[in-house]
Amino acid sequence: YADVPQTDDSTAQDWQAVDRRGLVIEGPADPSLAVIDCGGKGGIRLESKASFLSGVTFRNFLTTKGSGPALSVVSGAASNVVCDAGLLTGTVNQPCVYVGDVSLVTDAVIENLNGTVSGCKVANVVGGTLRRTTVRNCTATASAMITGDASSGGSRAKFEDCVFTGNTQSGSSIFSINRTDATGCKLGHNTITSKGYELVWTQESTLTDCALTNNTAKGTLLVNTVWGSGGTRIKNSLIAHNDNGSWAAVFNPYTSSRMWLENCTIAWNKSTSGAAGGLDGVADSYDSFIDIKNTIVAGNTVGSKVIDTSAKHKTYNNRRFTYSAFAEAAKYPDAHNVADPLMKKNCKLKRLSPCRDTGTPLSWHEGGHDLDGNPRIIDSKLNLGGGVDMGCYECPPGTGALLFVR
């Protein structure tokens, strides 16, 4: 049992410790050497901006109406913590890890959690930041597994360089965000077991430098549900090799929804049924809006047929496919008709790809990078890949000697 002082006993029945004085609690570099056995209750709650916790493992915790999360950072910060083999149960939205307004949890691991009853989450970020955290091999039921939302004060939730892998969800989404910014996050090898639910549900949120690959869902892969109040922006991201039960990999379904895609690659996703395997939306009578720039949509299938985008897009009054590539682009006068973008299986462009140097410059390209961290604009003066490539990866220029003949 870790040596953690009890600074306030008003909630002792629910928590092992509550810190309101700004204590610094540091365990060893290996958090497995400092184990807090929660005894079927909550763990530690931090309530001061000066509070800091690191180097501990939480086990045997129970998130229910009568006990709090294993780790609740209402205010302060926590680093290098592990939540392992706990039980998520009860009838309220009680998470294993809670990150409050302008608070931080970083370099954490949340694994092997078992959610048995509707209403409990693995992680809930409300106006705070979850950074470099791995959530793996967890199960949850009905309520979304990992959620983010802005605080009452307006601070947006942030997920930075997180990895969500090997998780199983039934009856809801694995990643559900509203007024949230996700940057550098990777979702891979996750499974949705209930038909009609999505891997990622977004509203008024951004996904930047993210990769969603090798996931399985019986519903859609990514859904944007906004009724004209902001929308979702997806930038420099990869959505590939996912297996959907129905609908498309990226779906913009609702009345007056707004979605922007910039330098994304949506490729080799599979759907058993639906209008398209790659990108789908609703008819123009719903006044939906999709703005797609420098984006590759290729190789997506419905059953045995390659159908990248739905026919419904032909009727959009508010659709823009600017400098984007897919085989059906002939339907859209402002898109590029590229029968084959010549990509490798890892979705990187081959050197002879027609998508090289054919994108349109955007404000973030100067000094910006691709999904691998390579510069978007390499050297326009020498014409070495000076243009911007379509998709989430920039093809580096070839190397060799220049031969001048006079």
Side-chain angles (χ1 to χ4, degrees):
Y1 193 95
D3 183 16
V4 180
Q6 177 73 50
T7 63
D8 189 311
D9 62 2
S10 62
T11 54
Q13 62 178 352
D14 297 337
W15 303 90
Q16 303 304 310
V18 177
D19 174 29
R20 294 172 180 164
R21 301 177 183 174
L23 295 177
V24 174
I25 307 168
E26 293 184 279
D30 182 356
S32 67
L33 299 178
V35 177
I36 296 179
D37 188 330
C38 299
K41 296 182 180 180
I44 291 182
R45 179 180 173 95
L46 306 180
E47 297 186 0
S48 169
K49 291 182 179 180
S51 297
F52 178 75
L53 171 71
S54 70
V56 298
T57 294
F58 296 94
R59 288 182 183 156
N60 192 26
F61 50 86
L62 179 67
T63 64
T64 184
K65 188 172 183 180
S67 63
L71 174 61
S72 180
V73 185
V74 178
S75 188
S79 174
N80 191 27
V81 296
V82 175
C83 297
D84 183 17
L87 184 65
L88 305 174
T89 186
T91 58
V92 294
N93 289 328
Q94 194 72 275
C96 167
V97 173
Y98 173 81
V99 188
D101 192 10
V102 201
S103 298
L104 170 68
V105 172
T106 183
D107 300 288
V109 175
I110 307 172
E111 60 185 357
N112 306 321
L113 306 188
N114 182 20
T116 60
V117 179
S118 169
C120 290
K121 306 171 183 178
V122 170
N124 184 23
V125 180
V126 181
T129 300
L130 189 67
R131 178 181 299 156
R132 293 193 300 270
T133 291
T134 297
V135 178
R136 62 192 178 203
N137 304 328
C138 297
T139 62
T141 303
S143 183
M145 180 176 291
I146 303 159
T147 58
D149 201 348
S151 66
S152 58
S155 299
R156 292 171 67 88
K158 295 180 176 61
F159 292 82
E160 300 174 353
D161 301 313
C162 294
V163 176
F164 308 145
T165 184
N167 302 294
T168 301
Q169 173 79 49
S170 65
S172 191
S173 310
I174 284 183
F175 193 33
S176 179
I177 53 177
N178 177 36
R179 298 177 296 174
T180 295
D181 301 312
T183 305
C185 294
K186 295 179 173 61
L187 285 80
H189 302 283
N190 300 287
T191 301
I192 299 290
T193 61
S194 298
K195 184 176 181 179
Y197 293 94
E198 58 283 340
L199 178 76
V200 178
W201 183 90
T202 67
Q203 180 170 315
E204 296 187 49
S205 297
T206 65
L207 299 174
T208 305
D209 302 335
C210 292
L212 288 71
T213 59
N214 300 295
N215 299 286
T216 300
K218 291 185 178 180
T220 60
L221 175 64
L222 191 147
V223 175
N224 175 45
T225 54
V226 178
W227 288 266
S229 59
T232 290
R233 295 180 181 270
I234 310 174
K235 184 175 74 174
N236 218 47
S237 294
L238 174 66
I239 303 172
H241 298 293
N242 299 287
D243 191 356
N244 303 302
S246 60
W247 300 334
V250 177
F251 194 47
N252 188 55
Y254 291 112
T255 302
S256 300
S257 291
R258 298 292 185 261
M259 178 179 285
W260 293 263
L261 300 172
E262 296 180 356
N263 280 100
C264 293
T265 299
I266 304 170
W268 294 306
N269 299 288
K270 298 178 181 179
S271 180
T272 58
S273 62
L279 179 64
D280 195 7
V282 297
D284 61 345
S285 59
Y286 289 92
D287 193 32
S288 287
F289 176 94
I290 304 179
D291 191 337
I292 304 171
K293 292 185 174 71
N294 301 337
T295 291
I296 298 173
V297 188
N300 302 283
T301 59
V302 177
S304 59
K305 297 181 180 180
V306 175
I307 306 179
D308 286 322
T309 61
S310 74
K312 297 174 184 177
H313 284 116
K314 290 188 296 184
T315 64
Y316 275 6
N317 292 321
N318 294 328
R319 92 289 180 257
R320 300 175 183 171
F321 295 86
T322 309
Y323 291 92
S324 296
F326 45 97
E328 298 151 326
K331 302 174 184 176
Y332 318 107
D334 49 357
H336 284 219
N337 187 358
V338 177
D340 186 353
L342 294 180
M343 291 190 299
K344 304 174 185 178
K345 281 298 181 182
N346 61 5
C347 296
K348 296 182 180 181
L349 299 178
K350 297 179 180 178
R351 296 207 174 275
L352 296 180
S353 170
C355 297
R356 289 191 64 194
D357 298 336
T358 52
T360 184
L362 301 175
S363 60
W364 59 273
H365 286 158
E366 189 69 42
H369 55 79
D370 70 356
L371 192 57
D372 272 348
N374 298 314
R376 275 292 175 184
I377 299 177
I378 299 175
D379 192 340
S380 57
K381 293 182 180 180
L382 294 178
N383 196 27
L384 298 178
V388 178
D389 294 348
M390 297 182 194
C392 62
Y393 293 113
E394 195 76 18
C395 187
T399 58
L402 294 176
L403 177 64
F404 297 90
V405 179
R406 294 186 178 181

